[in-house]
Amino acid sequence: IINENGAELISSEGDSILLFFSSKEESEPVLQKALNLCIELKKGLDNYLTLTGIPLNYELRIALESGIIRPIWHDLGGKKLPGWEQVGASNVFVDLARMLEAESQQMPRSVTAVVVKPEVAKLIKKFNNKLHFEVTTTTIKHGRKLELEMAKL
């Protein structure tokens, strides 16, 4: 599902995955691809659990953010493996972690939700009127306020 939707898996540590969409397109089509992938991942997981008889009692937490990253290469036993770092003023990895932390504090468990910054929600609303975003403000490190929008998938 991931590759079919134009994403690249860049991390799969623990129970999380981090996907990257490489594009020179404007952000709206890339965002649409990313949101469609999230919906497909949820459907695929629901179908798998239903087929195996496992209760649909899971938490899929999704944050969408744009930023610039680049690979940094590590030599592990003679094999080159990529790691990733943010570029320039981008804090995409830190922002994603803070967004997911806010989502986990405010959304009920067993609810699949997507959390985005207001500018991203504005773009999503242009092509998807089925998601109903709720605005929330959370306090993050050093007492800084972060405004986010969350919607159930």
Side-chain angles (χ1 to χ4, degrees), residues 22-116:
S22 177
S23 179
K24 293 183 181 177
E25 298 178 63
E26 292 184 30
S27 57
E28 191 173 323
V30 175
L31 185 58
Q32 192 166 1
K33 287 179 193 175
L35 186 61
N36 289 342
L37 175 57
C38 295
I39 292 167
E40 289 300 312
L41 284 172
K42 180 177 177 357
K43 285 180 187 175
L45 188 54
D46 286 351
N47 289 339
Y48 173 78
L49 294 175
T50 300
L51 288 172
T52 57
I54 300 171
L56 298 178
N57 186 16
Y58 67 91
E59 189 177 353
L60 183 60
R61 299 169 44 225
I62 301 164
L64 299 176
E65 175 65 320
S66 63
I68 301 170
I69 61 172
R70 68 175 172 215
I72 52 173
W73 297 95
H74 305 281
D75 188 359
L76 185 64
K79 186 175 183 180
K80 293 224 178 249
L81 300 172
W84 300 90
E85 68 180 3
Q86 45 213 18
V87 176
S90 170
N91 287 319
V92 67
F93 296 128
V94 173
D95 288 349
L96 286 168
R98 289 180 178 154
M99 291 164 69
L100 287 171
E101 182 181 332
E103 184 274 340
S104 71
Q105 293 172 358
Q106 298 189 24
M107 283 300 226
R109 290 183 116 344
S110 299
V111 168
T112 297
V114 60
V115 58
V116 296

Side-chain angles (χ1 to χ4, degrees), residues 26-29 31-32 35 119-131 133:
E26 292 184 30
S27 57
E28 191 173 323
L31 185 58
Q32 192 166 1
L35 186 61
E119 59 272 18
V120 174
K122 186 176 179 180
L123 289 173
I124 289 174
K125 290 171 189 175
K126 286 183 179 181
F127 61 81
N128 185 318
N129 60 3
K130 293 179 183 176
L131 291 179
F133 284 94

